[in-house]
């Protein structure tokens, strides 16, 4: 389209000029001819199309003209009102005998959009947290992302041109990789876990997915692998499995602990029955005597009531009855019998309460407790096991209250006291000592028994280990005691004593917090 009609009227164009103008109109790029001040002298069909068909000749478009060979980028509004982009190049020449500027405008809208998409894709490729590796169908690496380098230790330059064997760990056999490649080429993808080796030689687990990439004609061009480091996941899974295992062990130990307590109560049953039977026996005997005394006193009361005048004859009768029943001795003995009976029944009540606290199942009752009271309560239960074997010496220091589960601490004390009594041959001595150091308290149970062989000292807290004859112990008492003390954030130690016996020391923190990896009902 020739728009400078005035110029053509001055001089009809020659055949060559018509040919050139025809060629300019056929060029898809926009072609403009500007005068020395930038006004458009000519615009071809491509330019009109680019600028939406609006009039261009005689207009100054304000184009950024540079004559040093460099191109410029401009934006324009097309027919649809959309913003387009074009690459502008300019050069000087003569147009109909006048100096002018030839401008070519190449539409770069599509190219620019593609470049933006490629830049975005590149940014995404480099920004994802998972490792990405792109290979040719034969496995040669053509590109990796930043996460690949961070996980494996290999830079993009080191990985490019290599194959994934670069990361081989030797942990998988040929059959594994045969199955993997068969799935990739037959099914189009593969997903699984692989053990790979970093550049520094360390092994790491990874989750890997491999997918085929095809071109527009469906031809396989590349393979892309997406992987993530599972090291922290495996650590977390290991911790979870360990915690689950600890929970199962804890529940099992809780059940075993309760069985051990009941077993211990069963072994002590005869002694406890004896301890209960004695005070009950003499309380019943005292009640028989008290019954006789009651009859005598009622006889004396009847003598008073038969003679309401309280005559000399009545007084003589009363005195006679007092003499017959031994009234003076009866009054003294009456108080003694009541006191003895009360004392005996109170001992029975204490034994029953101690047994109830000791054998209570379920969750432990954490409270601030007096360890001396715990010791006395336990002694009360096991006394029949001890009294014929040893004298008990108490060397108690002043102790603060300790936050603990007293029923469980009582179980520890019972195990130590019964073991001490069973270790003594003949008659010996059991010494109970207590003390306080900084923010802990300690309780020692020592005996004058036969002691523990040096080679067995390190094994006494092992489950099912015992030096007792078959049938005289489960081998769980000290193991459970060790578990209880540990979960109280304390420690239990044993040492051989010079000359004879051994000494167990239990050390507990004063302020152990209930629920800190709590004592799960052991």
């Amino acid at each position: 389209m020739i728009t400078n009609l005035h110029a053509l009227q001055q001089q009809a164009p020659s055949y060559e000029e018509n040919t050139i103008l025809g060629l300019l109109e056929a060029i898809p790029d926009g072609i403009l001819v500007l005068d020395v001040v930038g006004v458009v002298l000519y615009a071809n069909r491509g330019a009109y199309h680019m600028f939406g068909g609006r009039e261009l000749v005689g207009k100054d478009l304000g184009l950024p003209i540079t004559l040093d060979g460099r191109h410029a980028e401009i934006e324009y509004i097309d027919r649809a009102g959309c913003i387009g982009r074009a690459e502008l190049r300019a050069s000087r020449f003569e147009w109909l005998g006048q100096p002018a500027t030839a401008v070519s405008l190449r539409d770069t809208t599509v190219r620019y959009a593609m470049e933006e998409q490629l830049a975005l894709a590149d940014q995404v490729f480099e920004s994802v947290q998972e490792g990405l590796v792109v290979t040719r169908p034969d496995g040669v690496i053509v590109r990796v992302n930043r996460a690949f380098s961070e996980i494996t230790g290999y830079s993009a330059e080191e990985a490019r041109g290599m194959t994934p064997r670069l990361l081989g760990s030797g942990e998988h056999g040929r059959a594994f990789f045969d199955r993997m490649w068969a799935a990739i080429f037959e099914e189009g993808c593969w997903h699984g876990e692989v053990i790979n080796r970093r550049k520094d030689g360390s092994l790491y687990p990874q989750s890997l997915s491999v997918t085929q990439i095809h071109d527009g004609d469906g031809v396989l061009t590349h393979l892309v692998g997406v992987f993530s480091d599972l090291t922290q996941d495996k650590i977390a899974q290991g911790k979870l499995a360990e915690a689950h295992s600890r929970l199962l062990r804890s529940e099992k130990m809780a059940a075993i602990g309760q069985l051990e307590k009941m077993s211990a109560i069963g072994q002590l049953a005869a002694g406890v029955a004896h301890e209960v039977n004695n005070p009950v026996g003499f309380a019943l005997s005292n009640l028989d005597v008290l019954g006789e005394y009651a009859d005598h006193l009622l006889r004396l009361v009847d003598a008073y009531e038969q003679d309401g005048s309280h005559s000399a004859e009545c007084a003589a009768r009363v005195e006679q009855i007092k003499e017959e029943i031994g009234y003076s001795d009866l009054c003294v003995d009456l108080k003694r019998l009541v006191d003895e009976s009360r004392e005996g029944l109170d001992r029975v009540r204490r034994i029953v309460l101690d047994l109830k606290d000791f054998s209570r199942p379920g969750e432990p009752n954490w409270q601030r407790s007096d360890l001396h009271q715990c010791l006395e309560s336990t002694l009360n239960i096991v006394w029949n096991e001890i009294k014929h074997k040893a004298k008990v010496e108490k060397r108690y220091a002043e102790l603060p209250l300790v936050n603990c589960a007293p029923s469980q601490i009582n179980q520890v004390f019972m195990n130590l006291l019964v073991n001490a009594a069973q270790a003594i041959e003949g008659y010996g001595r059991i010494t109970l000592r207590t003390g306080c150091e900084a923010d802990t308290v300690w309780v020692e149970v020592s005996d004058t028994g036969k002691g523990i062989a040096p080679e067995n000292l390190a094994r006494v807290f092992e489950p099912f280990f015992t030096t007792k004859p078959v049938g005289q112990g489960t081998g769980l008492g000290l193991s459970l005691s060790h578990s209880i003390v540990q979960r109280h954030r304390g420690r239990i130690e044993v040492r051989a004593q010079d000359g004879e016996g051994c000494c167990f020391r239990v050390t507990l923190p004063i302020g152990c917090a209930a629920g800190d990896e709590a004592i799960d009902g052991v």
Side-chain angles (χ1 to χ4, degrees):
M1 179 184 296
I2 299 174
T3 58
N4 195 341
L5 299 177
H6 177 72
L8 294 177
Q9 289 173 352
Q10 300 298 319
Q11 181 180 352
S14 65
Y15 172 79
E16 290 79 4
E17 289 173 336
N18 275 328
T19 301
I20 292 173
L21 290 172
L23 290 173
L24 290 175
E25 290 297 313
I27 294 175
D29 290 348
I31 302 296
L32 298 174
V33 177
L34 310 180
D35 64 14
V36 292
V37 295
V39 175
V40 177
L41 299 176
Y42 166 80
N44 74 339
R45 185 179 293 106
Y48 275 97
H49 179 78
M50 185 177 294
F51 284 93
R54 74 176 188 267
E55 184 59 49
L56 299 177
V57 174
K59 306 292 186 180
D60 183 354
L61 302 180
L63 299 175
I65 303 300
T66 59
L67 300 175
D68 56 3
R70 294 181 299 171
H71 70 271
E73 292 284 341
I74 67 167
E75 292 183 348
Y76 63 88
I77 306 297
D78 63 12
R79 289 179 181 274
C82 298
I83 297 176
R85 300 178 68 89
E87 180 182 277
L88 180 150
R89 294 179 183 274
S91 61
R92 295 290 191 189
F93 80 115
E94 284 192 2
W95 171 260
L96 301 177
Q98 299 293 327
T101 302
V103 176
S104 67
L105 297 170
R106 174 155 294 180
D107 196 325
T108 58
T109 304
V110 175
R111 188 186 74 187
Y112 183 79
M114 292 181 61
E115 288 175 350
E116 279 190 327
Q117 292 298 315
L118 289 172
L120 177 61
D122 186 72
Q123 185 178 3
V124 172
F125 188 86
E126 291 296 334
S127 299
V128 293
Q129 299 299 309
E130 289 76 17
L132 297 176
V133 54
V134 181
T135 74
R136 298 194 313 234
D138 60 2
V140 175
I141 297 172
V142 296
R143 185 173 179 185
V144 298
N145 70 342
R146 185 182 298 110
F148 174 96
S149 299
E150 292 173 352
I151 295 173
T152 68
Y154 289 101
S155 67
E157 291 73 18
E158 291 172 318
R160 194 176 297 116
M162 305 296 288
T163 68
R165 293 190 186 90
L166 176 71
L167 306 175
S169 64
E171 296 291 314
H172 305 285
R174 182 178 181 84
F176 174 86
F177 290 106
D178 286 345
R179 290 192 300 270
M180 182 180 76
W181 286 108
I184 292 171
F185 288 109
E186 293 173 10
E187 301 173 16
C189 63
W190 180 87
H191 177 76
E193 290 188 10
V194 181
I195 303 297
N196 275 346
R197 188 183 301 276
R198 297 185 180 89
K199 184 178 179 180
D200 62 10
S202 61
L203 301 181
Y204 69 98
Q206 71 174 29
S207 173
L208 173 64
S209 295
V210 182
T211 306
Q212 292 184 0
I213 302 296
H214 301 84
D215 63 15
D217 297 325
V219 177
L220 175 64
T221 59
H222 296 90
L223 301 174
V224 59
V226 182
F227 66 91
S228 56
D229 188 346
L230 297 180
T231 302
Q232 295 304 316
D233 291 345
K234 295 297 183 182
I235 292 174
Q237 290 173 9
K239 289 181 178 179
L240 180 61
E242 182 181 352
H244 184 255
S245 177
R246 283 203 307 269
L247 178 61
L248 292 178
R249 288 199 305 269
S250 178
E251 291 174 348
K252 186 180 296 183
M253 288 298 289
I256 293 175
Q258 188 62 22
L259 289 174
E260 174 67 13
K261 283 197 291 187
M262 301 314 296
S263 173
I265 290 294
Q267 292 176 13
L268 297 173
V272 171
H274 180 74
E275 290 299 306
V276 170
N277 189 56
N278 279 348
V280 169
F282 68 71
L284 289 173
S285 177
N286 288 349
L287 285 175
D288 290 339
V289 177
L290 286 171
E292 293 179 7
Y293 285 175
D295 291 340
H296 293 331
L297 291 175
L298 289 173
R299 180 183 169 194
L300 187 61
V301 171
D302 287 341
Y304 274 108
E305 289 179 345
Q306 286 175 4
D307 189 347
S309 62
H310 304 299
S311 63
E313 183 180 353
C314 176
R317 175 63 179 159
V318 168
E319 288 300 324
Q320 181 183 354
I321 293 175
K322 284 184 176 181
E323 185 176 350
E324 289 176 357
I325 65 176
Y327 180 75
S328 297
D329 291 339
L330 183 150
C331 290
V332 173
D333 202 30
L334 186 65
K335 185 177 186 306
R336 180 185 63 81
L337 290 173
V338 171
D339 289 343
E340 283 182 354
S341 299
R342 180 181 292 113
E343 180 183 349
L345 293 176
D346 187 57
R347 173 158 176 74
V348 171
R349 181 183 64 83
R350 289 198 306 272
I351 291 174
V352 171
L353 289 176
D354 290 339
L355 281 171
K356 181 180 177 182
D357 288 340
F358 179 81
S359 60
R360 180 181 294 128
E363 291 297 320
N365 180 26
W366 282 77
Q367 60 191 53
R368 299 188 68 78
S369 305
D370 182 348
L371 294 189
H372 292 154
Q373 184 178 343
C374 292
L375 278 170
E376 294 300 322
S377 173
T378 307
L379 275 171
N380 196 32
I381 294 175
V382 303
W383 182 243
N384 195 68
E385 291 288 314
I386 294 176
K387 65 183 181 181
H388 300 300
K389 299 294 296 289
K391 175 184 178 181
V392 177
E393 293 185 0
K394 303 173 185 178
R395 301 178 186 178
Y396 293 167
E398 186 174 347
L399 295 182
L401 297 180
V402 175
N403 194 39
C404 65
S407 64
Q408 296 184 349
I409 297 301
N410 287 354
Q411 184 178 0
V412 175
F413 292 160
M414 190 201 73
N415 288 332
L416 298 182
L417 288 167
V418 171
N419 284 353
Q422 292 176 347
I424 294 173
E425 297 176 341
Y427 192 83
R429 182 178 68 257
I430 295 175
T431 304
L432 305 179
R433 298 183 182 87
T434 63
C436 182
E437 295 177 359
D439 56 352
T440 63
V441 297
W442 54 266
V443 176
E444 283 187 351
V445 179
S446 61
D447 62 69
T448 56
K450 55 190 175 183
I452 300 174
E455 62 271 18
N456 291 330
L457 278 175
R459 301 189 60 196
V460 293
F461 299 116
E462 293 179 8
F464 305 107
F465 176 79
T466 180
T467 58
K468 297 175 184 177
V470 176
Q472 293 186 19
T474 62
L476 287 172
L478 288 177
S479 173
L480 289 169
S481 297
H482 185 266
S483 176
I484 290 171
V485 172
Q486 272 198 327
R487 289 172 179 164
H488 273 78
R489 299 290 190 270
R491 62 184 184 276
I492 181 170
E493 302 158 302
V494 58
R495 67 177 186 273
Q497 298 191 117
D498 294 336
E500 58 183 4
C502 63
C503 176
F504 284 85
R505 171 180 277 212
V506 174
T507 304
L508 298 173
I510 294 172
C512 179
D516 287 354
E517 202 169 310
I519 311 169
D520 305 299
V522 173

